[in-house]
Amino acid sequence: MTKNSEQAGDCDALMCEAQRLRESGRLADAVLLYRQVVTAEPDNVAALYEWACVAYERGNLKNAEKLFGRVVKIAPDHAAAYTKLATIYTQQRWFGWARKTFEKALA
């Protein structure tokens, strides 16, 4: 097994554990694992998206916006991330940005 495949396996295990922690309400612990995955694989869209969702659930809109922004930069067709971004913009009353972002989600 190569180092890259071992790292990918480790990240997969961390993602599974993070999801279990998130589902059990241990959001802070889940974030620690998402961060580990993103440190090892900076372009891991799944880890970034889940981390952003947790930030959003915890009311940290600034961090959620930043993380969802990273997701759509890496994966420009990620409709769910655009939808979450548009929702954040709506909550901030940035309606012009929200409309444009919803349009990207639907594209």
Side-chain angles (χ1 to χ4, degrees):
M1 189 181 284
T2 67
K3 184 176 180 179
N4 285 342
S5 61
E6 286 177 22
Q7 182 178 339
D10 290 345
C11 288
D12 289 343
L14 288 171
M15 287 294 292
C16 287
E17 180 63 12
Q19 188 62 30
R20 188 189 67 74
L21 290 168
R22 184 174 173 204
E23 289 171 0
S24 69
R26 295 176 54 193
L27 300 179
D29 293 330
V31 165
L32 292 175
L33 296 185
Y34 293 134
R35 282 183 180 169
Q36 277 186 269
V37 173
V38 171
T39 298
E41 298 178 357
D43 291 344
N44 188 311
V45 171
L48 286 165
Y49 179 78
E50 295 300 328
W51 181 5
C53 287
V54 171
Y56 181 82
E57 290 168 16
R58 297 173 83 186
N60 187 342
L61 299 184
K62 185 175 182 177
N63 195 38
E65 178 186 358
K66 176 181 154 193
L67 291 165
F68 286 127
R70 285 180 64 186
V71 171
V72 298
K73 185 174 182 181
I74 297 165
D77 60 342
H78 201 294
Y82 277 118
T83 300
K84 290 284 194 179
L85 269 174
T87 301
I88 291 169
Y89 295 153
T90 300
Q91 291 173 325
Q92 300 294 330
R93 304 185 62 79
W94 300 337
F95 299 119
W97 282 100
R99 189 185 98 254
K100 289 178 185 177
T101 307
F102 274 125
E103 289 171 356
K104 288 180 181 180
L106 296 172

